[in-house]
Amino acid sequence: RVFSRVKQSNPNYPRQNIDISGIEEAYEILGLTMDASDEEIDRAYKELIRKNHPDMGGSEYIAKKINAAREYIIKSKETRGR
């Protein structure tokens, strides 16, 4: 299941590095426990990004952190084979 479509960034735009220190931090950012289902992850992500999206007056840094946390969880699940 694909959670999001990733848009290529502009190579001329300086990219802010958003680091996630580990899987625990990723779940904490989304306000979830480590045993959260894919549906819970998706629901938490959508709610947080809706509230924090820069186009809606939110912080670009926080939106990037939310996106990075979600991607970290997805990649972690893919690596573990679920």
Side-chain angles (χ1 to χ4, degrees), residues 38-54:
D38 289 348
E39 291 78 22
E40 291 170 318
I41 294 166
D42 197 33
R43 187 176 29 235
Y45 167 78
K46 286 179 181 179
E47 181 180 337
L48 286 170
I49 205 66
R50 190 178 319 117
K51 291 179 180 178
N52 294 285
H53 197 280

Side-chain angles (χ1 to χ4, degrees), residues 66-79:
I66 293 166
N67 284 322
R70 181 171 168 246
E71 290 300 319
Y72 194 100
I73 292 169
I74 292 168
K75 287 179 182 176
S76 174
K77 284 187 172 202
E78 288 172 355
T79 302

